[in-house]
Amino acid sequence: ILNVEQSPQSLHVQEGDSTNFTCSFPSSNFYALHWYRWETAKSPEALFVMTLNGDEKKKGRISATLNTKEGYSYLYIKGSQPEDSATYLCALGRDMRFGAGTRLTVKP
Amino acid sequence: NAGVTQTPKFQVLKTGQSMTLQCAQDMNHEYMSWYRQDPGMGLRLIHYSVGAGITDQGEVPNGYNVSRSTTEDFPLRLLSAAPSQTSVYFCASHKGQGRNTIYFGEGSWLTVV
């Protein structure tokens, strides 16, 4: 069983703040890491799929980095907006096991 | 563009009843999965399938059965519903072993009383 850990569990920031959170995973036998954005009552929305050590991906104000040797990925949001409020999930492995997520709340 | 379709969207069951959550995808994806979402626990994998005729258990399989008779369909059966199975259920599919985007259904809200 792969242990995918996400921290922090929740985060409250002010509009305009930049923020980041972490997905940690066992570094052995790495295959791929996914980031998803999930709003309550909606389906999770794909953000990034990362496969190589050192990968950096960007989508608008959201970016992610990957370190497979030490077993972590960071998700960054620059200039947070209220519409960024959601739970951010990472998933790992061939059978797509998810972490518990980081719940982000952006206050206007 | 149907993508992943799951039904029903809402269901209330009595303890001990059985039911089937339906899931269908039209993208010819080999991989299909069922997850449940509980507060503070993210998405937990119930069962998954890597192709027609092949299924395997995930993290929380007890109380659920699946089958994969076709590439398109992957129903989830609750054999004897329990209050602990009150949750939101998501069906998902993806191509390949895990380097491709996962596509999710819209979720099924199940309450067991």
Side-chain angles (χ1 to χ4, degrees):
Chain A
I1 295 177
L2 294 171
N3 292 324
V4 182
E5 305 284 344
Q6 290 190 249
S7 62
Q9 188 173 22
S10 66
L11 199 53
H12 295 254
V13 301
Q14 290 294 134
E15 183 175 355
D17 287 350
S18 294
T19 188
N20 66 85
F21 22 92
T22 306
C23 175
S24 302
F25 51 87
S27 56
S28 59
N29 297 320
F30 176 81
Y31 191 73
L33 184 123
H34 294 234
W35 280 102
Y36 287 81
R37 179 177 181 277
W38 186 20
E39 290 183 69
T40 303
K42 294 186 178 179
S43 306
E45 170 196 352
L47 290 173
F48 307 114
V49 180
M50 309 180 81
T51 57
L52 297 175
N53 184 47
D55 253 357
E56 291 187 27
K57 302 256 181 169
K58 188 174 181 181
K59 186 176 182 179
R61 293 179 292 99
I62 304 176
S63 60
T65 60
L66 177 66
N67 184 323
T68 61
K69 293 182 179 179
E70 295 183 35
Y72 65 85
S73 175
Y74 292 141
L75 190 79
Y76 300 91
I77 302 179
K78 184 178 179 182
S80 303
Q81 300 296 309
E83 56 264 32
D84 295 329
S85 297
T87 297
Y88 291 84
L89 297 166
C90 65
L92 185 72
R94 288 175 173 83
D95 55 3
M96 305 310 295
R97 293 176 191 258
F98 283 79
T102 292
R103 185 176 181 88
L104 175 67
T105 303
V106 183
K107 301 175 185 176
Chain B
N1 272 354
V4 180
T5 304
Q6 58 179 107
T7 58
K9 195 168 179 71
F10 300 99
Q11 183 74 49
V12 179
L13 281 179
K14 293 182 178 178
T15 298
Q17 284 186 316
S18 62
M19 77 158 296
T20 299
L21 297 175
Q22 302 290 345
C23 177
Q25 53 92 9
D26 61 358
M27 297 172 281
N28 201 32
H29 287 168
E30 307 96 321
Y31 284 70
M32 295 186 75
S33 310
W34 276 102
Y35 294 88
R36 59 178 286 172
Q37 184 266 321
D38 300 298
M41 302 188 81
L43 292 171
R44 291 189 292 169
L45 183 65
I46 304 171
H47 285 283
Y48 65 99
S49 169
V50 301
I54 305 169
T55 64
D56 209 344
Q57 295 181 351
E59 303 165 77
V60 287
N62 293 340
Y64 307 95
N65 269 359
V66 291
S67 59
R68 186 95 178 269
S69 56
T70 66
T71 300
E72 294 78 19
D73 300 299
F74 191 44
L76 178 74
R77 296 181 187 85
L78 280 71
L79 308 171
S80 177
S84 60
Q85 293 178 304
T86 294
S87 189
V88 184
Y89 292 84
F90 286 96
C91 179
S93 74
H94 62 94
K95 195 166 184 62
Q97 270 195 328
R99 288 180 173 160
N100 297 294
T101 298
I102 305 172
Y103 294 86
F104 288 88
E106 293 189 339
S108 295
W109 274 253
L110 176 67
T111 302
V112 183
V113 297

